[in-house]
Amino acid sequence: MNKLHTLILAGLICATSLLAQQNANNIQLELEQKAQRKNILIPDIDGYQTLKGDFHIHTVFSDGLVWPTVRVKECWMEGLDVMAITDHLEYRPHKNFMTEGHNHPYNLAVSEAQKHNIIFVKAAEITRSMPPGHLNALFINDADSLNQKNVDDVFESVKEQKALMLWNHPGWKAQQRDTCLVYEVHEKLIKEGLVQGMEVMNYTEWYPVVLQWCIDYKLAVFANSDIHGISGYTYDVQKGHRPMTLLFAKDRSSDGVREAIESARTIAWFDQQLAGPEDLIKELFDASVNLKSAFYTDDKYRYMELSNESDIKFSFINETTSNGAPEKFELQPRKTIVIRVNKDAESFKVKVDNCHTGMFKNLQLNLM
Ligand SMILES: [Zn+2]
Ligand SMILES: [Zn+2]
C-alpha cells in the first residue's frame, strides 16, 4: 500500500467513525405508550344505540388540574362516546392566569373531540349555595351570558339558549348535611322543563333517594365523574371505569343524546351498580344476559346456563330458597355460569342486587 492509499483509508475510517458518532447522539427509543381506546361492552337495546357519557368534567379553567384537550383524550381512551366540560362559572381559582372567557375550554377542545369521534356537549356548571345548589347547563351556545349575579337571570339565559340543566350531586353532604330535599326552586325548574335530569351518582357517591325522585318526576338519571384531577389517578381505569351515564339514543349524534335525556332514557352505572327506570334496566339485562333453559338433567337436578355478553357484573339473590339453587351468586362480565336447580323446582325468583329501580327497590326476575 502506498502513502496515498494509506491516507485515503485513514480518511475513510475517520469519516465512518464521525458518522457513527453522529448517529449515536440521538437514538429514538419506543417509550411512548400508543394511545388505545378501551372498548366497554354494553349492548344496544331494542331500537336504540347505547352511548356512554360523562356530563360533569372540570379543567384548569375552573378548579380542575387538567387541560381541556387532555380531558378529551382521557374520555376517548376510557371508551366514552359523549362528554361535557363543565367548568364552574362562579369559582375560578386559577383566574389570575386566564385572559379568556368561559367559552374558552370548549373552544380549545372541540376539534380534539371531533378528531376522536366524541360527541362534545357545550356546557358549564352553575355553582350556587343551596338552594338551588349546583346545576350543569348542557347544550348551551354561550357560557359567558350565564355568568350573571342573579340566578334567575342565569335560568332565563338557559331558557333563551334552549339549553337544559341537570341538578348535580343533590345528596352532597356539603350542601345537604342532615337531610336531602327537593326545594321549591327545583320543583319550578322541573315544571318548566329546564331541569331534565339529576345525578344519582357523582364522583364516588351514590344517592338512592335521588333515583326515586328521578323515577317520580320522570327525569333522566346521571352518573358523572365530576373529575378534577387526572383520571388515571382518580379511578382504576384499567380494571374498572369512571361513573358513566348510559344513554339509549335513536342515533349517535348530539341531537340523539339530547332526545335521550329529554325522554329520560338513561341508566346510571358506576362500581357495578346500575340505577334507573325498571323497564330500561330490564331491557338492558335481557340484552346482556342469555338464559338457557335446562339442557341436562339427572335424577335430582337440572342445570341452567347464564351467559353474560356485557361488561356489567350482575349479583343475584335467590328468593326461592327451596329450589336448591345457591342463596347468592354472581355473573361476572363476559362469563358464563351454570346454576343447579332441583329437578322439580317450579320457580326461580331472584333479586338482582346491583340493579336499582327505586330507592329500596331492585330488579326482580323469575329465571324459570
Ligand atoms: Zn358541583
Ligand atoms: Zn363539578
Side-chain angles (χ1 to χ4, degrees):
M1 200 185 283
N2 64 30
K3 223 175 183 176
L4 185 65
H5 283 140
T6 316
L7 269 172
I8 291 169
L9 189 65
L12 269 172
I13 290 168
C14 219
T16 317
S17 78
L18 254 173
L19 214 64
Q21 270 177 36
Q22 276 174 16
N23 286 342
N25 77 352
N26 189 329
I27 297 167
Q28 291 295 312
L29 300 175
E30 289 278 328
L31 287 179
E32 199 186 351
Q33 196 189 342
K34 295 277 181 295
Q36 293 185 82
R37 177 170 164 88
K38 179 178 173 178
N39 292 325
I40 295 179
L41 208 62
I42 302 195
D44 294 340
I45 63 170
D46 203 17
Y48 300 107
Q49 245 188 81
T50 305
L51 303 177
K52 301 158 206 95
D54 186 353
F55 296 86
H56 196 161
I57 295 171
H58 291 280
T59 76
V60 290
F61 290 90
S62 61
D63 55 347
L65 301 171
V66 175
W67 194 255
T69 50
V70 179
R71 284 298 189 216
V72 174
K73 212 57 178 275
E74 286 178 340
C75 286
W76 180 78
M77 289 176 76
E78 291 171 41
L80 290 161
D81 303 290
V82 195
M83 65 178 287
I85 287 178
T86 53
D87 279 313
H88 298 287
L89 292 163
E90 300 86 344
Y91 181 54
R92 304 181 96 196
H94 313 139
K95 66 172 178 286
N96 290 346
F97 304 100
M98 294 176 195
T99 52
E100 309 281 343
H102 294 274
N103 293 305
H104 201 49
Y106 177 88
N107 294 340
L108 283 172
V110 64
S111 70
E112 191 73 5
Q114 284 164 353
K115 279 182 220 160
H116 288 82
N117 198 23
I118 296 257
I119 301 166
F120 197 44
V121 175
K122 190 165 181 179
E125 183 168 9
I126 301 157
T127 312
R128 303 291 168 127
S129 54
M130 190 70 81
H134 296 194
L135 299 121
N136 279 349
L138 306 176
F139 303 100
I140 60 171
N141 300 318
D142 178 27
D144 287 326
S145 51
L146 296 176
N147 189 29
Q148 302 192 50
K149 208 168 177 194
N150 184 331
V151 80
D152 290 328
D153 294 336
V154 181
F155 296 148
E156 203 46 50
S157 178
V158 169
K159 202 188 284 181
E160 275 167 19
Q161 295 189 38
K162 295 190 169 51
L164 57 85
M165 291 187 287
L166 71 101
W167 182 12
N168 300 338
H169 44 72
W172 187 31
K173 290 283 177 200
Q175 288 199 322
Q176 302 230 57
R177 179 166 296 281
D178 304 313
T179 179
C180 195
L181 299 172
V182 179
Y183 289 78
E184 226 173 81
V185 57
H186 302 118
E187 299 256 13
K188 185 169 169 277
L189 293 169
I190 292 166
K191 208 178 251 175
E192 289 173 358
L194 278 182
V195 163
Q196 292 281 349
M198 298 184 194
E199 282 181 340
V200 303
M201 294 172 189
N202 170 288
Y203 183 42
T204 57
E205 298 180 343
W206 124 249
Y207 319 115
V209 67
V210 181
L211 169 62
Q212 194 58 52
W213 297 346
C214 287
I215 304 282
D216 295 344
Y217 289 108
K218 294 186 173 51
L219 296 177
V221 295
F222 282 82
N224 294 325
S225 68
D226 197 357
I227 194 162
H228 290 75
I230 296 164
S231 174
Y233 291 177
T234 312
Y235 301 105
D236 185 345
V237 292
Q238 293 310 316
K239 286 191 202 144
H241 62 90
R242 69 167 72 193
M244 286 186 190
T245 305
L246 308 179
L247 304 116
F248 305 97
K250 287 181 178 166
D251 56 54
R252 196 184 185 287
S253 69
S254 183
D255 287 346
V257 168
R258 185 172 179 146
E259 194 274 335
I261 293 171
E262 287 171 335
S263 307
R265 264 196 327 274
T266 63
I267 290 177
W269 182 47
F270 181 52
D271 199 22
Q272 293 300 3
Q273 304 296 311
L274 289 169
E278 190 171 351
D279 56 339
L280 285 179
I281 298 243
K282 173 77 168 66
E283 279 190 64
L284 187 59
F285 179 89
D286 288 343
S288 304
V289 178
N290 266 323
L291 179 67
K292 287 189 190 160
S293 53
F295 187 70
Y296 287 111
T297 55
D298 53 31
D299 293 345
K300 282 176 82 178
Y301 302 110
R302 51 178 139 158
Y303 300 90
M304 300 177 67
E305 196 179 83
L306 276 83
S307 189
N308 187 354
E309 288 169 9
S310 76
D311 277 328
I312 303 164
K313 182 176 93 176
F314 294 98
S315 307
F316 299 88
I317 295 175
N318 182 3
E319 299 202 310
T320 321
T321 42
S322 60
N323 66 4
E327 269 177 49
K328 287 180 178 181
F329 54 98
E330 280 184 346
L331 181 56
Q332 297 290 336
R334 306 192 199 196
K335 301 283 186 210
T336 298
I337 55 169
V338 172
I339 299 289
R340 191 185 73 178
V341 191
N342 288 342
K343 196 178 171 185
D344 55 359
E346 285 175 357
S347 165
F348 191 179
K349 287 187 183 155
V350 292
K351 180 169 106 172
V352 191
D353 206 29
N354 63 314
C355 290
H356 306 274
T357 56
M359 187 162 53
F360 300 121
K361 215 174 141 213
N362 291 70
L363 181 65
Q364 315 259 165
L365 302 164
N366 190 349
L367 298 180
M368 217 162 250

